[in-house]
């Protein structure tokens, strides 16, 4: 098999394409007004002719990335092998008198069905395979379905076809070397440490009655009765019920009316039912007592008797380490997310619509699979979450476009900094995958190699390295504008933090499966 690769648009990697929003009723890749023969065409107006929000935007732009043409020539001997396979398949599917299923020779089948049937079947099944081999052998990074056209298909002899396909653009980005990223402080404040210690003290607190109005956090004893249209509501009647003001344990209106009340106060009010908002509950409440929590005095003796620490100083140090662990985790997460956002923003101009559509399809498939496990349709999920379909699709497209820009930018950083995936990197990632896959790393390598997945795995590793390179080069800024040292983001040991770090990040924070048609 001989393949010739011809770039179709070497002057520019993107350009406006005359396509409207994808129509689900059309075959994949079909859209009104798309000139399949032109990789770059004029922008067209896709307004619907009626008053709508789209009218204010003048036009809706879609862009096609660079395209290449693969000219594939298959010699007669190679193609005849596929014709033989087609006839063997036909022999298994038909009954020929005098022959057992699958044993009728080719000449007999040709006499019954004609010689053309084997060639037609071979073309249908072999051309996609030839195309896939040509893409793999020539390292073509495709992002869309090809446009195939047979250019040589006689009654016998060799075959040839042309495949026009959109490829991932190669972009250049600048500014990734000196990102400035604001992150939350990894150091807990004294107030946060005090609040965490007070949570422990509350477990040992006493309740003391007070002669004042109730405030948030106070305990009150109340007589309460709820009714609907004069009928008592089951489960909503009690005497001397101990209730924490501000806890939201009944309905929010109860906390609102209790705040500021003193012992002896009678309350009458109505509030919506928490489950059936159209139903009103009439409340009658009498405040019997108001009490406050009295926390134990924080002393070395109390700490020694009631915690695993010997002194207040040790307790504060341990609490600070525990809080630091969480804050450092949060700071690292914000750092990663903000770095991805800033890197994606470095890609200027429009990006190919085929890549965005592929990313949308991946996200929809992932959502659909998750909902299927819950026996829920997307429509039911949208209704349950209160989302409008149009708004959901818009957000989904925005998220997909950000993913595409991040993909292109990270590839650009990896190329600019000569970041590569060596054998150790690939082996390490295969070992990580094997830990949850159930197959060995060697088995995974064999499976992935058969589908050209090693190239995509290498690309994902390179993107991960590019993201890490940019993160390590970034200047870290705290909430007050001060510079945060990199060492402040190092996690304490599991023993110091009182827990373990079992987080597991994707390779580059985007899609972990780096397929050729999605970012």
């Amino acid at each position: 098999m001989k393949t010739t690769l011809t770039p179709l648009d070497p002057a520019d990697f993107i350009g406006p394409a005359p396509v409207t929003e994808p129509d689900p009723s059309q075959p994949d890749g079909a859209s009104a007004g798309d000139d399949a023969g032109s990789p770059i065409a004029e922008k067209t107006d896709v307004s619907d002719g009626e008053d709508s929000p789209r009218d204010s935007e003048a036009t809706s732009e879609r862009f096609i990335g660079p395209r290449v043409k693969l000219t594939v020539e298959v010699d007669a001997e190679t193609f005849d092998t596929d014709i033989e396979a087609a006839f063997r398949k036909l022999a298994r599917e038909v009954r020929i008198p005098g022959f057992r299923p699958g044993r009728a020779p080719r000449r007999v089948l040709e006499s019954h069905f004609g010689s053309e049937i084997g060639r037609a079947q071979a073309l249908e099944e072999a051309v996609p395979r030839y195309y896939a081999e040509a893409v793999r052998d020539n390292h073509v990074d495709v992002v869309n379905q090809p446009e195939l056209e047979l250019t040589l298909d006689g009654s016998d002899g060799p075959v040839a076809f042309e495949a026009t396909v959109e490829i991932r653009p190669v972009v250049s980005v600048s500014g990734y070397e000196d990102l400035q990223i604001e992150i939350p402080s990894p150091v807990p404040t004294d107030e946060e440490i005090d609040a965490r210690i007070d949570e422990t003290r509350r477990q040992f607190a006493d309740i003391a009655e007070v002669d004042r109005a109730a405030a948030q956090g106070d305990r009150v004893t109340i007589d309460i009765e709820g009714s609907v249209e004069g009928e008592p509501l089951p489960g909503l009647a009690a005497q001397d019920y101990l209730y924490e003001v501000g806890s939201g344990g009944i309905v929010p209106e109860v906390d609102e009316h209790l705040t500021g009340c003193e012992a002896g106060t009678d309350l009458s009010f109505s509030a919506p039912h928490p489950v059936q908002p159209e139903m009103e509950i009439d409340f009658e409440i009498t405040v019997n007592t108001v009490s406050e929590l009295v926390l134990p005095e924080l002393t070395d003796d109390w700490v020694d008797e009631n915690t695993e620490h010997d002194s207040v100083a040790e307790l504060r140090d341990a609490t600070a380490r525990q809080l630091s662990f969480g804050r450092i985790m949060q700071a690292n997460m914000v750092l990663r997310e903000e770095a991805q956002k800033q890197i994606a923003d470095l890609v200027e101009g429009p990006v190919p619509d085929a890549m965005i559509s592929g990313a949308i399809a991946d996200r929809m498939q992932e959502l659909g699979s998750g909902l299927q496990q819950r026996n829920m349709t997307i429509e039911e999920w949208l209704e349950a979450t209160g989302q409008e379909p149009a708004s959901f699709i818009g957000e989904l497209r925005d998220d997909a476009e950000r993913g595409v820009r991040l993909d292109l930018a990270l590839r650009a950083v990896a190329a600019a900094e000569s970041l590569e995936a060596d054998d150790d990197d690939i082996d390490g990632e295969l070992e990580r995958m094997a830990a949850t896959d159930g197959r060995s790393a060697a088995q995974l390598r064999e499976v992935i190699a058969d589908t050209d997945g090693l190239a995509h795995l290498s690309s994902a590793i390179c993107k991960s390295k590019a993201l890490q390179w940019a993160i390590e080069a970034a200047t870290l800024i705290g909430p007050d504008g001060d510079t945060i040292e990199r060492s402040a983001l190092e996690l304490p040991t599991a023993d110091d933090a009182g827990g373990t770090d079992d987080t597991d990040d994707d390779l580059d924070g985007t899609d972990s499966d780096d397929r050729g048609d999605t970012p």
Side-chain angles (χ1 to χ4, degrees):
M1 187 175 75
K2 177 184 176 182
T3 302
T4 303
L5 182 66
T6 307
L8 295 183
D9 53 344
D12 196 0
F13 72 87
I14 53 176
V19 293
T20 61
E21 289 289 349
D23 183 353
S25 66
Q26 298 296 323
D28 289 345
S31 52
D34 187 11
D35 183 0
S38 175
I40 300 178
E42 294 297 326
K43 180 175 64 180
T44 58
D45 187 347
V46 295
S47 60
D48 54 17
E50 301 177 358
D51 292 336
S52 68
R54 182 178 295 181
D55 294 334
S56 64
E57 300 175 5
T59 58
S60 179
E61 293 185 350
R62 295 294 179 263
F63 292 85
I64 293 179
R67 289 183 172 188
V68 298
K69 180 165 62 177
L70 291 164
T71 303
V72 181
E73 302 174 18
V74 183
D75 60 81
E77 182 179 355
T78 299
F79 188 61
D80 193 62
T81 302
D82 289 297
I83 296 177
E84 286 286 354
F87 275 113
R88 286 196 298 271
K89 180 179 179 181
L90 178 63
R92 293 192 296 270
E93 296 173 348
V94 299
R95 299 296 299 270
I96 301 296
F99 296 93
R100 288 181 294 172
R103 304 307 292 269
R106 174 175 171 174
R107 57 180 176 77
V108 173
L109 294 170
E110 287 180 332
S111 66
H112 278 74
F113 303 102
S115 59
E116 312 83 28
I117 189 171
R119 189 174 183 86
Q121 184 68 26
L123 284 172
E124 181 178 343
E125 296 185 358
V127 166
R129 188 177 75 251
Y130 295 149
Y131 165 74
E133 291 177 3
V135 166
R136 182 168 59 250
D137 294 344
N138 289 272
H139 308 290
V140 182
D141 193 0
V142 303
V143 298
N144 206 351
Q145 294 298 318
E147 300 168 6
L148 297 174
E149 180 182 0
L150 284 172
T151 56
L152 177 61
D153 178 28
S155 59
D156 56 17
V159 297
F161 63 90
E162 292 179 348
T164 301
V165 65
E166 189 174 354
I167 62 174
R168 193 187 312 270
V170 176
V171 304
S172 297
V173 295
S174 60
Y176 64 87
E177 311 93 332
D178 51 6
L179 301 179
Q180 291 195 1
I181 302 176
E182 181 177 329
I183 61 175
S185 173
V187 181
T189 64
D190 289 339
E191 291 76 12
E192 290 173 322
I193 295 172
D194 290 338
R196 177 63 63 87
I197 292 175
D198 285 347
E199 292 178 8
T200 302
R201 294 170 67 197
R202 286 191 187 92
Q203 300 175 20
F204 300 88
D206 294 325
I207 299 178
E209 192 171 325
V210 294
D211 186 17
R212 59 168 174 79
Q216 295 284 308
D218 284 341
R219 270 58 170 177
V220 294
T221 55
I222 57 176
D223 298 336
I224 182 171
E225 182 177 344
S227 61
V228 175
E229 297 181 351
E231 295 294 326
L233 198 62
L236 198 54
Q239 303 292 315
D240 284 330
Y241 178 68
L242 183 63
Y243 182 75
E244 179 183 350
V245 180
S247 65
I250 304 176
V251 293
E253 289 78 4
V254 169
D255 296 280
E256 295 172 5
H257 284 81
L258 287 175
T259 301
C261 289
E262 298 181 355
T265 301
D266 292 322
L267 301 171
S268 296
F269 60 92
S270 298
H273 193 287
V275 180
Q276 300 171 282
E278 70 281 358
M279 183 185 298
E280 287 278 318
I281 302 177
D282 299 319
F283 285 94
E284 297 290 337
I285 297 178
T286 297
V287 181
N288 298 326
T289 64
V290 177
S291 302
E292 66 180 6
L293 288 182
V294 180
L295 303 184
E297 184 180 358
L298 186 61
T299 64
D300 289 344
D301 289 340
W302 182 86
V303 170
D304 184 42
E305 292 176 3
N306 296 282
T307 75
E308 60 184 4
H309 305 287
D310 298 330
S311 65
V312 173
E314 287 185 10
L315 176 61
R316 289 188 65 83
D317 288 344
T319 302
R321 288 194 298 271
Q322 291 173 347
L323 290 174
S324 293
F325 188 87
R327 291 189 68 93
I328 291 172
M329 290 286 292
Q330 180 191 18
N332 276 295
M333 180 179 66
V334 172
L335 170 59
R336 189 179 187 87
E337 291 176 350
E338 184 61 22
Q340 291 180 82
K341 179 179 181 299
Q342 291 191 26
I343 293 172
D345 289 343
L346 297 177
V347 177
E348 300 179 350
V351 293
D353 191 63
M355 295 183 67
I356 298 175
S357 298
I360 291 174
D362 279 353
R363 285 158 173 76
M364 287 294 292
Q365 182 178 13
E366 183 179 356
L367 174 62
S369 297
L371 293 177
Q372 187 176 21
Q373 295 177 0
R374 298 158 56 184
N375 295 320
M376 180 181 289
T377 66
I378 290 181
E379 291 77 10
E380 292 170 339
W381 176 76
L382 289 174
E383 183 177 356
T385 56
Q387 298 185 73
E388 292 294 331
S391 175
F392 167 70
I393 292 298
E395 293 177 0
L396 186 65
R397 184 176 183 86
D398 290 343
D399 179 66
E401 181 173 342
R402 283 192 295 270
V404 170
R405 291 182 181 276
L406 178 61
D407 170 84
L408 296 176
L410 290 176
R411 291 170 185 269
V413 174
E417 300 301 328
S418 301
L419 303 175
E420 299 179 348
D422 57 28
D423 290 340
D424 289 341
D425 294 326
I426 294 176
D427 289 341
E429 185 59 24
L430 288 173
E431 289 289 350
R432 188 187 71 83
M433 294 167 60
T436 57
D437 185 83
R439 288 173 288 185
S440 68
Q443 291 173 322
L444 283 176
R445 177 183 282 273
E446 183 177 350
V447 170
I448 292 175
D450 287 342
T451 58
D452 199 31
L454 287 178
H456 300 314
L457 181 60
S458 296
S459 177
I461 292 172
C462 288
K463 290 194 294 180
S464 178
K465 287 186 174 184
L467 176 61
Q468 190 61 33
W469 191 99
I471 288 175
E472 292 176 357
T475 299
L476 310 184
I477 307 298
D480 298 328
D482 54 319
T483 301
I484 296 179
E485 296 297 328
R486 185 74 51 174
S487 59
L489 296 187
E490 295 177 1
L491 287 170
T493 64
D495 291 340
D496 288 341
T500 58
D501 176 18
D502 57 357
T503 59
D504 183 21
D505 290 327
D506 286 338
L507 281 173
D508 60 5
T510 57
D511 295 326
S512 58
D513 51 339
D514 186 76
R515 292 181 296 276
D517 57 347
T518 59

